[in-house]
Amino acid sequence: MDKAGTPVLGRVLLGRTEELGHLERRAELAVQGRGQAVLLRGPSGIGKTQLLRAAEQRFAAQGMRVLRAGCTEVGSGSGYVAVRELFDGIDEDLLQGAARWARAALIPGDDGDQPAGGYAVLHGLYWLVVGLSGEQPLVLIVDDAHWADNSSLRWLDFLLRRADNLRLLVVIAQRTGLAGGELLAGLSTHECCSTLEVAPLGPDDVVDLIAAGLDEAPAPAFAARCGDVSGGNPLLLDRLLGELRRQGVQPDAQSVELVQELGRDVLTASVLTALSNQPEHVTAVARAAALIGTSPPHRLAALGQVPVRAVAPALSALSRCDVLDADHTGFVHDQVRTTILAGISAEELHATRARAARLLSDEGEPAEAVAGHLLLTPVDEPWMQSVLWDAAASAGRRGSAEAAMNYLQRALDSKWPDADTRTRMQIDLAGLMAQIDPAGALATLREVLGRITDPRARTPLAALFARAAQPVYSSHEAVDLLVEVIDQLDAVIGPEPGPADQELRTLAESALLMAATDECSTLPLATARARAMADPPGHSGSEMLALSLMAMLSAFEGGSVETVLRRARRVMDARDIPVDGMTLLGASLAFELAGDVDSALAGLERTLTETRRRAEPVMHVMALGFRAVMQRRRGELAEAAADAQTAADVAGQELPGLLLTLPLIAQAGVFADVGEPERAAELLGLVVRPRYEEFGWEWYNYALVQAKVLRQLGDLPGTLEMLRRCERSMAEAGITNPMYVLWWPEAVDVLVELGRRDEAAALAARMSEDVKRWPIPKAAGLVALVTGLVAEDPKDAVAPLTAAVERLEDCGAIPDRIRAGHRLGQALLRAGDVKQARQVLRAAMDVANRSGERVEVAAIGRLVVQAGGRVRNPSDSPVDALTGSERRVTAMAADGLSNRAIAETLFVSLRTVEVHLTSSYRKLGVSGRAELTAILRAER
């Protein structure tokens, strides 16, 4: 055996043929581009580390690049420690493009772009692996993963979800018998991950090792007893044989009882015996090394309280007695290190850890390195709080909110912070918790706000409270708080505040508008506040958010179209002011409501570009969902389907466990548009959210799609009730602009179909009057549409429906234009003008075909036949068989983008792109990009 107790004879690793074979087979699959992972499990001393070292040689022989990290107890509470060791010394030229976000985790004090959140770092590290594995098949080995920090484990989980098409093998070694936590256990659930239990040595291997260790073949009973007491554990067996050799024991039947007597405590006994035979300073150096490593010598001397000149001889002595390895770089096994520390009382161990931390701090080691030691000791000293606070700031910059929270909580558990320091730490803690535990953030903020009375100090905390409240459906509480804080602030700053106070007030007002807009019950308050506000100058992000929300809220209540457009344009034109995705989304929605759909789509494209650049998946998905809804309203169903499916892909892959409803609603809407109500209903059934009807814009879109599905399934009363629910909800929310949610044109049509024409006429008249306050072309077109729908005499319907077709086509409201053309042709038929009916219906059918509105195509086609015409079936194209995401990916591939460029642009993994391309090749009957480009160009 070697010094670590590894079963080695010559250069052969004994008893590990099966394990090495398993790892080699997984490596072969990885080299083929089928990403693999192995969770290697076994008790301490079973030989996991040496097995990995032997496997490394075989991986290298297969042309693979191997990166390795060993986790430690000290690093377990920190952020990205294992990741930094894995990629230590990596070429910084690889940290470009999407991979640049990995810099925050890998390079201390990097001055580059700071990540907007933890996701960006995970995203960047993934693309770093994509780049490395593209150059050469890659192996990532994480040893002692039971001590891996949570940030690194979260990234491994993130990576394995995207590993399918990478030339990547991830090997994670875990010691059994120690709690590894849910994150580590969860890695084994990935489809690409297999679990490999390292088995005890077999009887034949035990015999061979005894013969090698004691220089003669053992008696069967002796070998059997050695196997029993060691449990086939190589480290224990090695220590047992060492003791037997030192005592001159022969491996015969008479020595069986002595083997039993030494027993399984042989490791502890051997270590303690080795140290007991050494001078005290050697034991002191061993204990110091067990806490801070074996170098530099002066640190070991300081911590062990021995002369510096005594350190080198002590390390040599520890190597000779099988405590340290031959080159003094580490212990022969971590269990030996643990055994040495077990010989110290808990009180002494904690005190020594605290002294180690102070030593590292005084020598200028990074705060996170010092804080790792502080997390392992309850010793509480005044100097510690500043180190922990600095460590939290460093971890936060790395995108490791969880590690930062660990440090801050440890500092807050101390008795030394004064009241002001404690409050500031809690505020920092709440900011971090808002990212991963918003409910916990709210609890912390409630406590802090209960102590702070200064309105200026309370204002940013109230804004943070609003941000944390939204994902846990508590915006109503944030609204009450912000109203109170704004009133308090106004009493202090007066009617003419200075620039700093004005920015504070704008921050509070924008947070209030955002929170109050979230739910229908508080929307009237938001509208009233926005109506009373003067337009901010737009010098900051807060002012731009307020301006965006003011534009949107003004549109909700049907204010001035010109005012809405002016505010939205100011937001979009302010290129030198940093604005967030929510600001751009609000302005885009305002543009659409004001009839400027082109500007709305331009705003969404800008949002997508910015969220992609900053790796912000939640807002990216929201922007895709918004755009899909707008494209449906324009009749651009292929584009809507592509956006909706891409949003669903990103949400499912990048944000598992987070329910974002808009992608589902958008997808369901497209299925309803193309005449697949069952598939639409299935998707809508997945939309489950507490008090969903309280959440305005998304619920209104859900309700309109649900109504369309119910109508296609023949449930007209259910359709009408869903539309009336929209009407009631809007009234309760104070939304007076009838163009915000277009429930009423559908309701008029359903009432006519139900034979309730008088009700339909009354509703049409009322809504036509309301719409006059919002003079946009689409509004005029819809008024003409419902006027024609309720006309009892078909001749009276012709003029308004003709006007509806013209106005709706001019403003790009294609689905409504198709309906108007459908109803106009129907009216002309009933009026006896068959020739004109045929012409109108064919025109409407052409528009419906181009849009993809299959339900309308079928219905209009039947009327064309009634009018004596023939239905021209459009020639089917193989491209029509592609899904929305497949269309988008193939179009980008045909334009020359690489798979990686497509994946980065669409915010999806390489695997997703590969799947879409493979499926598209199959559907189109092509074998590669050249043929794909030719067929798509022919379609254009």
Side-chain angles (χ1 to χ4, degrees):
M1 293 193 189
D2 68 5
K3 297 187 71 172
T6 304
V8 178
L9 284 179
R11 301 185 61 83
V12 179
L13 190 67
L14 285 182
R16 297 293 177 245
T17 303
E18 184 177 337
E19 289 90 341
L20 284 170
H22 182 97
L23 290 169
E24 283 190 289
R25 289 190 294 275
R26 293 290 169 166
E28 289 167 2
L29 293 173
V31 170
Q32 296 167 19
R34 298 166 60 185
Q36 299 291 306
V38 177
L39 181 60
L40 189 69
R41 289 168 41 87
S44 175
I46 202 68
K48 300 181 294 298
T49 297
Q50 295 304 319
L51 173 61
L52 290 175
R53 287 176 182 164
E56 279 187 51
Q57 298 175 3
R58 303 195 181 194
F59 296 152
Q62 291 178 273
M64 305 183 81
R65 178 178 188 171
V66 180
L67 302 179
R68 182 179 184 128
C71 304
T72 65
E73 186 180 18
V74 171
S76 60
S78 301
Y80 291 116
V81 175
V83 162
R84 288 201 297 279
E85 186 172 345
L86 272 176
F87 298 109
D88 184 40
I90 207 74
D91 185 352
E92 290 191 28
D93 289 342
L94 291 166
L95 303 178
Q96 305 294 328
R100 73 187 184 281
W101 297 114
R103 299 179 71 90
L106 302 179
I107 305 175
D110 182 67
D111 294 328
D113 288 344
Q114 290 300 308
Y119 175 87
V121 177
L122 301 177
H123 185 69
L125 289 166
Y126 162 74
W127 283 107
L128 173 59
V129 168
V130 170
L132 288 168
S133 61
E135 293 178 350
Q136 182 180 0
L138 180 65
V139 182
L140 301 179
I141 296 176
V142 180
D143 200 2
D144 290 325
H146 45 278
W147 278 329
D149 61 279
N150 282 348
S151 298
S152 295
L153 290 174
R154 288 188 195 283
W155 175 68
L156 288 171
D157 176 71
F158 185 93
L159 176 65
L160 294 185
R161 289 203 303 270
R162 297 156 179 78
D164 287 359
N165 68 328
L166 299 181
R167 296 191 300 169
L168 172 69
L169 172 63
V170 179
V171 184
I172 303 154
Q174 175 194 6
R175 182 191 302 177
T176 54
L178 289 179
E182 293 182 7
L183 287 173
L184 182 56
L187 298 179
S188 64
T189 65
H190 289 284
E191 188 174 343
C192 67
C193 186
S194 62
T195 298
L196 178 59
E197 301 284 350
V198 183
L201 296 175
D204 292 342
D205 296 318
V206 170
V207 169
D208 289 342
L209 289 171
I210 294 172
L214 299 182
D215 298 325
E216 68 177 275
F222 184 93
R225 187 59 56 88
C226 285
D228 288 342
V229 299
S230 68
N233 184 295
L235 177 63
L236 297 181
L237 180 58
D238 176 67
R239 290 287 165 159
L240 175 62
L241 294 177
E243 286 299 304
L244 292 171
R245 186 170 54 248
R246 274 189 284 273
Q247 296 183 28
V249 175
Q250 298 299 310
D252 52 29
Q254 288 72 32
S255 301
V256 168
E257 293 307 316
L258 183 57
V259 171
Q260 185 69 42
E261 183 180 331
L262 288 173
R264 291 196 179 220
D265 290 332
V266 66
L267 177 60
T268 301
S270 68
V271 172
L272 296 180
T273 299
L275 292 179
S276 68
N277 293 326
Q278 299 294 330
E280 285 189 16
H281 75 273
V282 174
T283 299
V285 169
R287 290 174 176 174
L291 293 177
I292 61 172
T294 57
S295 64
H298 73 275
R299 284 188 189 166
L300 286 171
L303 185 59
Q305 298 178 323
V306 302
V308 175
R309 65 179 181 275
V311 171
L315 294 176
S316 297
L318 291 169
S319 179
R320 287 194 300 273
C321 63
D322 291 343
V323 171
L324 295 182
D325 55 26
D327 55 7
H328 309 172
T329 58
F331 288 86
V332 294
H333 194 280
D334 189 70
Q335 192 64 40
V336 173
R337 184 192 71 87
T338 303
T339 299
I340 289 172
L341 292 179
I344 310 173
S345 69
E347 183 178 358
E348 184 181 356
L349 178 58
H350 291 321
T352 308
R353 286 192 190 279
R355 286 197 298 110
R358 184 60 184 262
L359 176 64
L360 295 174
S361 179
D362 288 347
E363 294 202 352
E365 287 296 316
E368 285 189 81
V370 179
H373 289 272
L374 296 180
L375 292 179
L376 298 175
T377 175
V379 174
D380 187 14
E381 298 175 355
W383 65 272
M384 295 176 176
Q385 64 182 26
S386 61
V387 172
L388 289 162
W389 207 351
D390 288 345
S394 176
R397 288 191 296 271
R398 291 187 190 280
S400 180
E402 193 167 5
M405 288 164 56
N406 288 338
Y407 301 141
L408 283 173
Q409 192 59 62
R410 170 69 170 82
L412 286 166
D413 289 340
S414 169
K415 66 181 180 182
W416 296 105
D418 57 33
D420 179 62
T421 301
R422 187 175 298 279
T423 295
R424 288 186 290 130
M425 285 182 176
Q426 283 186 297
I427 292 170
D428 287 353
L429 180 62
L432 293 162
M433 294 176 77
Q435 301 177 36
I436 59 178
D437 180 18
L442 294 183
T444 299
L445 286 169
R446 290 186 192 104
E447 180 183 342
V448 173
L449 285 162
R451 294 198 303 267
I452 295 178
T453 57
D454 179 7
R456 289 185 175 91
R458 286 169 62 83
T459 297
L461 299 182
L464 175 58
F465 191 99
R467 179 159 60 90
Q470 191 169 16
V472 291
Y473 316 121
S474 297
S475 291
H476 55 285
E477 183 181 355
V479 169
D480 293 340
L481 172 63
L482 284 160
V483 169
E484 173 189 310
V485 167
I486 290 172
D487 288 344
Q488 293 170 347
L489 185 64
D490 284 344
V492 172
I493 66 177
E496 297 182 3
D501 284 338
Q502 183 58 55
E503 174 61 18
L504 265 183
R505 197 184 192 290
T506 303
L507 172 65
E509 283 287 2
S510 61
L512 174 57
L513 294 182
M514 175 64 69
T517 303
D518 196 38
E519 299 187 16
C520 291
S521 60
T522 52
L523 192 57
L525 172 66
T527 304
R529 302 286 297 211
R531 192 187 310 122
M533 290 172 63
D535 286 6
H539 295 154
S540 66
S542 296
E543 291 183 351
M544 283 301 176
L545 176 59
L547 196 60
S548 170
L549 294 168
M550 289 167 68
M552 187 175 69
L553 290 164
S554 181
F556 287 0
E557 66 172 348
S560 163
V561 174
E562 292 73 19
T563 298
V564 171
L565 289 172
R566 184 188 73 248
R567 289 170 172 168
R569 285 175 185 142
R570 282 189 59 202
V571 172
M572 291 299 178
D573 291 344
R575 298 283 175 165
D576 56 339
I577 303 295
V579 295
D580 61 15
M582 195 64 243
T583 301
L584 297 173
L585 284 181
S588 299
L589 180 56
F591 271 130
E592 191 208 19
L593 289 171
D596 188 351
V597 180
D598 289 339
S599 292
L601 291 172
L604 290 173
E605 182 58 39
R606 181 179 166 191
T607 307
L608 291 167
T609 299
E610 183 63 17
T611 53
R612 186 185 307 121
R613 186 187 72 80
R614 291 187 56 78
E616 296 175 333
V618 173
M619 197 54 64
H620 193 82
V621 168
M622 291 294 292
L624 284 169
F626 265 70
R627 192 166 69 175
V629 170
M630 289 187 189
Q631 287 164 333
R632 281 190 59 230
R633 291 171 181 165
R634 286 166 64 97
E636 298 170 350
L637 295 189
E639 291 79 1
D643 272 344
Q645 189 172 340
T646 300
D649 287 346
V650 174
Q653 178 177 280
E654 309 297 320
L655 304 163
L658 179 61
L659 176 62
L660 295 176
T661 60
L662 196 53
L664 295 171
I665 295 168
Q667 282 186 299
V670 172
F671 281 127
D673 293 337
V674 300
E676 298 185 42
E678 291 83 5
R679 292 186 70 182
E682 182 180 345
L683 286 171
L684 292 177
L686 300 176
V687 178
V688 180
R689 184 175 174 181
R691 301 187 298 116
Y692 193 35
E693 198 164 337
E694 271 289 308
F695 295 93
W697 194 82
E698 282 194 27
W699 183 82
Y700 293 135
N701 280 283
Y702 167 88
L704 292 179
V705 174
Q706 183 71 273
K708 186 164 190 172
V709 169
L710 291 170
R711 188 172 188 183
Q712 289 182 4
L713 295 175
D715 184 0
L716 292 182
T719 302
L720 188 60
E721 173 55 25
M722 183 60 69
L723 296 170
R724 290 293 194 185
R725 282 173 64 183
C726 287
E727 178 187 21
R728 292 191 296 270
S729 175
M730 289 176 64
E732 292 168 4
I735 300 172
T736 55
N737 185 347
M739 295 299 293
Y740 176 49
V741 181
L742 295 176
W743 63 271
W744 49 276
E746 188 78 13
V748 168
D749 203 17
V750 171
L751 285 168
V752 171
E753 188 173 347
L754 287 169
R756 296 156 62 177
R757 191 176 296 274
D758 289 345
E759 281 184 65
L763 176 60
R766 174 162 63 86
M767 301 309 296
S768 297
E769 191 63 29
D770 290 346
V771 162
K772 289 179 182 178
R773 296 190 300 108
W774 196 249
I776 63 173
K778 183 175 180 178
L782 291 176
V783 166
L785 172 61
V786 296
T787 301
L789 290 176
V790 300
E792 191 162 359
D793 188 331
K795 293 179 181 179
D796 294 336
V798 171
L801 289 173
T802 300
V805 169
E806 294 171 356
R807 293 169 183 169
L808 293 168
E809 185 158 0
D810 287 345
C811 69
I814 298 304
D816 299 303
R817 179 261 179 265
I818 294 169
R819 185 194 306 219
H822 180 176
R823 297 298 190 267
L824 175 58
Q826 208 170 31
L828 288 167
L829 267 179
R830 290 170 55 208
D833 191 344
V834 176
K835 181 178 179 181
Q836 184 64 19
R838 202 160 50 237
Q839 182 178 343
V840 166
L841 290 167
R842 280 179 172 160
M845 193 170 183
D846 286 343
V847 176
N849 268 319
R850 288 196 299 273
S851 175
E853 292 256 13
R854 296 177 195 164
V855 175
E856 287 288 350
V857 167
I860 295 170
R862 290 190 290 271
L863 291 176
V864 169
V865 172
Q866 288 181 33
R870 297 177 58 191
V871 176
R872 299 190 296 270
N873 290 322
S875 57
D876 291 334
S877 164
V879 176
D880 293 337
L882 301 183
T883 67
S885 289
E886 289 168 352
R887 284 173 181 260
R888 178 154 294 166
V889 168
T890 54
M892 296 173 79
D895 287 339
L897 272 70
S898 67
N899 288 1
R900 174 167 182 165
I902 296 170
E904 289 196 26
T905 299
L906 296 182
F907 223 128
V908 296
S909 71
L910 278 174
R911 172 63 176 166
T912 299
V913 173
E914 293 283 357
V915 167
H916 288 325
L917 280 175
T918 301
S919 176
S920 300
Y921 290 166
R922 177 179 53 79
K923 291 179 180 179
L924 298 176
V926 300
S927 59
R929 289 195 175 215
E931 294 176 71
L932 174 69
T933 301
I935 196 169
L936 291 183
R937 284 178 177 169
E939 284 293 313
R940 294 171 185 170

